[in-house]
Amino acid sequence: MLVGAQAGAASPVVEYLKLSTDVNDGYASTTVEEKLSNPADSAVKDSFSFLIPEEAFISGFSLTIDGKEYTADVLEKEEASQRFNAAALAGRTAGLLETEEKNLFSYALSFEPGQSIIVKLTYEQALKKTLGEYEFVQFLDSGKSAGYLSVTININSENQLTRLEVPDFPAAKVEYVSANRGQVRYETDSLSASELRVVFDTENPPLNGNMLFYENGSEGYFMHVFSPEEADLGTSAMDKEIIFVLDKSGSMEGYKIEQVKEVFGNIIEDLPPGDYFNIIFFDSTVQSYSGTLMEADLEQKAGALDFVNSLDANGGTNINEALLTALGMFSPESERVPIIVFLTDGEPTEGVVSPYAIRQNIKDANTAQVSIFSIAFGIEDESNYHFLRAMSLENCGTAEWFSPEANAAEEIGSFYETISTPLITDMDFSYGREVSEIVNTGEKNLFAGSDTIVLGKYSPGAGTIRADISANTRTGNRSFSKEFSVIPKAANSFIPRLWAYTTINSLLDRIEVEGENEALVSEVTGLALEFGFVTPYTSLFVELPELANPETIDSVSEEVMEMPAEGEALMDGAMSTPSAGQPKPAASSPYDRNAVYEGAMAEEPVEEAEEAATPGFEVSLALSGLLGIAFCFRKR
């Protein structure tokens, strides 16, 4: 979890690291608290980093010095940057926390002799139910030896908790506190693992779902969980039409193409009877196993396997022609569920190469409303990943990023399994007039073992809320309706934050697809300020009072750390890349990593400055990772 840099020099010690998480009906809030102390008789500086989940939003940060806690405020990004630069130029110590491209939180502090500093960070995330279970991963990697590490994870559910496990982590203690609550605890003074993975199942809600309520003053919030299983529906999963569109350009040569052959060979073998499929490989040109969709019988699957294993990687990347070829094989009249699984490791280089032109061509050709699920296979150029993600979002799908360095075949296979069994399609949710500002965590299709969560506001005083759902199943169109009694509970206080979290993510998805516009940015910013989330348009800002100790101040020289180059780690590459299979961030914003320093550096070079830093806050916090924080002290 923590990484230190300053090899060969005296450095602070990590007295303790405490990680505490509350998971309420799939919404997790985690607080990281660490105490850092300098036992040396001279001032020292050190840098620290730790991973947070890619999908999490930072919602709190504070420093405690000499018993006084200094808490950061969420501000609009421009205002926070202006206040930071003004504080730096005026000689005041300030901190700025902004979003970046990776899930690495990094900071640097300087300590006077004997000084201790407590750092607290809070982040929040929504866990996804996949294949019938929830998973929460707590990163634990440590480059420094912590005197004490504790992990506490509390699981709370409206439905009965049926399973709670910590796979491959026997030292963790699991306790079922009640029928609906469980707890995982772990304590150590010597870390032996990089992460702690918690997996839990809950009893499925009734056929029409559960609805939870919370009222906060003049507003009410509801959470409708809809997650029917095959047994509830009295039918099996729907047949599908699926085309695998796979990159075999020159950059896929070697280990990449071998992993693709392995994973998709296994997928083809496992296609159930009743499905129709095809395989398209592309480089500069397009090669299809068949000119039409083929039934997944033994003969066709054997022929497809031979086709997959016979191909080698070479040539350019003609994404446009490959996807248009695939879309041309689907019929809008088919009753099977249409899906494309698209894998590529690079940018378009042949045929139509403009990402915007390709997206428009795909939208125009997708008359069968095919869901396109994209696999970004080791793509390092962020703009290429965002192109794939935008294309998938506007075609009823998603995009995921996988590292070719890891066990990619297993990871991609697991991803495919989550989308391979469509249970319900074309879902449409409607509620009474007392409900407003609805947001849905899912798409129009529901796959086996997953759920759809609808959140919204209602007017307090409503006695009931009616939910009506229309959808298609294997047996045809179905309706699901229920009148829910409005019973607000204090235990559901997380619902407003989950509503805001989901709404912001939905708006960021729209920005990904539509591009930035004033209305969308304003809505994201307003919600982030109201609920205290760090987003591409908001930042955390903290300003600390000057510590009046001239003798100590004069003994410490001012220093500002250099920003790492794009893609470079803060500490010789330590923890600079996402873990295996980690998807890239969903949204980013134009951001100059050095912008927060421009004001502080404007008047004079740092090396010519003679002023000294305030003890405990000597330096900037390098912006490396999803988040960055900068501490800078200057005098006029």
Side-chain angles (χ1 to χ4, degrees):
M1 187 77 156
L2 296 178
V3 176
Q6 192 91 17
S11 61
V13 298
V14 181
E15 290 193 23
Y16 66 72
L17 171 62
K18 298 178 181 179
L19 309 171
S20 178
T21 300
D22 290 318
V23 181
N24 294 292
D25 288 287
Y27 189 63
S29 176
T30 299
T31 298
V32 179
E33 178 181 329
E34 55 188 342
K35 184 177 182 181
L36 311 165
S37 299
N38 174 23
D41 56 6
S42 59
V44 298
K45 176 193 70 184
D46 214 339
S47 303
F48 305 87
S49 297
F50 53 85
L51 290 168
I52 68 169
E54 174 268 329
E55 65 275 10
F57 282 161
I58 294 289
S59 57
F61 181 79
S62 72
L63 295 170
T64 300
I65 303 144
D66 298 329
K68 174 70 172 177
E69 184 174 20
Y70 303 93
T71 303
D73 296 318
V74 176
L75 303 173
E76 285 192 57
K77 174 169 281 190
E78 184 177 352
E79 179 186 355
S81 182
Q82 290 173 351
R83 290 179 61 177
F84 174 79
N85 287 331
L89 288 171
R92 301 189 301 272
T93 304
L96 181 68
L97 179 66
E98 296 187 309
T99 57
E100 268 294 298
E101 296 297 340
K102 296 173 185 173
N103 58 334
L104 183 65
F105 180 83
S106 307
Y107 63 96
L109 297 171
S110 61
F111 300 75
E112 61 182 277
Q115 185 180 43
S116 295
I117 298 177
I118 296 174
V119 180
K120 280 186 182 179
L121 173 75
T122 301
Y123 59 84
E124 302 176 32
Q125 66 191 107
L127 307 182
K128 294 180 180 178
K129 183 180 180 182
T130 56
L131 303 176
E133 65 183 27
Y134 297 90
E135 179 181 84
F136 174 77
V137 176
Q138 181 65 72
F139 297 110
L140 302 173
D141 273 340
S142 176
K144 280 183 175 291
S145 177
Y148 172 73
L149 167 67
S150 72
V151 180
T152 303
I153 301 169
N154 298 306
I155 309 294
N156 306 292
S157 173
E158 173 72 11
N159 301 307
Q160 185 172 5
L161 185 64
T162 57
R163 179 172 70 104
L164 177 58
E165 296 178 357
V166 187
D168 305 318
F169 212 105
K173 297 179 180 179
V174 175
E175 179 184 359
Y176 291 89
V177 179
S178 69
N180 301 70
R181 296 173 56 216
Q183 186 180 75
V184 174
R185 298 189 307 277
Y186 173 64
E187 298 179 68
T188 186
D189 56 7
S190 59
L191 188 63
S192 60
S194 61
E195 65 182 34
L196 184 149
R197 187 168 67 93
V198 176
V199 177
F200 63 95
D201 298 345
T202 63
E203 203 171 64
N204 228 44
L207 176 61
N208 297 309
N210 283 338
M211 192 173 288
L212 310 181
F213 301 92
Y214 180 76
E215 293 183 4
N216 183 10
S218 61
E219 287 188 313
Y221 293 84
F222 75 90
M223 173 182 177
H224 184 196
V225 182
F226 182 64
S227 182
E229 296 179 331
E230 292 182 41
D232 300 321
L233 297 170
T235 183
S236 59
M238 303 176 71
D239 293 332
K240 62 182 180 290
E241 295 177 343
I242 187 164
I243 300 180
F244 306 100
V245 182
L246 310 175
D247 188 345
K248 74 171 199 73
S249 60
S251 59
M252 291 287 293
E253 186 178 13
Y255 188 47
K256 287 183 180 179
I257 196 67
E258 293 306 315
Q259 289 186 93
V260 167
K261 289 180 178 181
E262 177 187 350
V263 65
F264 286 97
N266 293 335
I267 288 172
I268 291 166
E269 284 187 316
D270 291 338
L271 286 172
D275 280 4
Y276 279 65
F277 79 105
N278 204 348
I279 304 167
I280 295 175
F281 275 96
F282 69 95
D283 43 43
S284 301
T285 60
V286 173
Q287 301 177 56
S288 302
Y289 166 62
S290 171
T292 61
L293 286 158
M294 307 297 293
E295 187 174 359
D297 57 29
L298 292 177
E299 180 182 356
Q300 293 298 339
K301 290 196 290 186
L305 287 173
D306 291 339
F307 174 71
V308 168
N309 292 322
S310 68
L311 297 175
D312 296 320
N314 54 69
T317 309
N318 196 333
I319 291 175
N320 185 72
E321 185 180 349
L323 287 172
L324 290 180
T325 301
L327 288 170
M329 296 181 183
F330 293 96
S331 169
E333 285 73 39
S334 174
E335 294 183 356
R336 290 179 287 268
V337 180
I339 296 173
I340 286 177
V341 175
F342 172 63
L343 180 147
T344 185
D345 74 335
E347 63 183 320
T349 61
E350 299 282 345
V352 179
V353 297
S354 164
Y356 299 99
I358 294 173
R359 284 172 53 190
Q360 188 61 52
N361 291 343
I362 300 309
K363 281 183 66 177
D364 293 343
N366 193 3
T367 57
Q369 297 185 335
V370 181
S371 295
I372 300 178
F373 295 94
S374 297
I375 296 173
F377 196 30
I379 289 178
E380 296 183 1
D381 187 327
E382 203 68 30
S383 63
N384 289 335
Y385 173 76
H386 289 303
F387 153 57
L388 295 181
R389 188 167 185 277
M391 180 183 68
S392 293
L393 286 171
E394 60 194 356
N395 288 280
C396 309
T398 59
E400 299 286 346
W401 184 92
F402 294 91
S403 169
E405 307 301 326
N407 187 4
E410 181 180 343
E411 300 258 349
I412 294 172
S414 297
F415 166 69
Y416 169 76
E417 192 176 357
T418 67
I419 62 170
S420 65
T421 314
L423 198 57
I424 300 176
T425 63
D426 303 315
M427 292 186 297
D428 183 68
F429 293 79
S430 61
Y431 300 89
R433 286 181 295 180
E434 68 277 7
V435 168
S436 64
E437 299 186 58
I438 295 172
V439 62
N440 191 331
T441 64
E443 304 296 333
K444 287 185 174 293
N445 299 340
L446 185 69
F447 296 92
S450 64
D451 61 15
T452 291
I453 298 175
V454 180
L455 300 121
K457 294 182 178 182
Y458 68 91
S459 303
T464 61
I465 291 179
R466 180 180 175 84
D468 293 294
I469 306 168
S470 65
N472 290 322
T473 69
R474 189 180 185 89
T475 57
N477 187 262
R478 289 277 299 270
S479 295
F480 307 88
S481 300
K482 184 175 180 179
E483 196 93 14
F484 292 94
S485 297
V486 176
I487 306 175
K489 294 182 180 179
N492 298 332
S493 60
F494 68 93
I495 295 178
R497 299 193 65 77
L498 176 56
W499 171 83
Y501 172 97
T502 307
T503 302
I504 290 172
N505 271 317
S506 178
L507 292 167
L508 292 175
D509 284 349
R510 287 184 58 189
I511 290 173
E512 185 84 271
V513 172
E514 302 172 24
E516 289 186 341
N517 63 61
E518 185 177 350
L520 290 176
V521 171
S522 176
E523 196 169 351
V524 169
T525 303
L527 283 173
L529 292 174
E530 180 181 355
F531 288 89
F533 288 126
V534 177
T535 70
Y537 307 102
T538 52
S539 307
L540 280 169
F541 173 80
V542 60
E543 184 174 337
L544 286 76
E546 294 189 52
L547 304 177
N549 189 340
E551 294 182 2
T552 310
I553 291 176
D554 291 340
S555 70
V556 184
S557 63
E558 179 181 1
E559 178 180 358
V560 176
M561 293 176 63
E562 292 184 0
M563 297 298 298
E566 183 69 30
E568 181 182 343
L570 171 63
M571 297 149 291
D572 298 327
M575 300 175 71
S576 63
T577 58
S579 59
Q582 182 84 28
K584 288 281 187 178
S588 64
S589 62
Y591 174 67
D592 182 352
R593 289 171 177 256
N594 296 306
V596 294
Y597 296 96
E598 290 175 356
M601 303 292 288
E603 295 190 19
E604 54 192 355
V606 172
E607 52 266 38
E608 296 178 7
E610 299 178 356
E611 294 82 15
T614 300
F617 306 96
E618 177 186 25
V619 80
S620 69
L621 211 144
L623 290 166
S624 169
L626 173 68
L627 314 164
I629 181 164
F631 288 96
C632 182
F633 179 87
R634 291 180 63 84
K635 292 182 179 178
R636 293 186 184 277

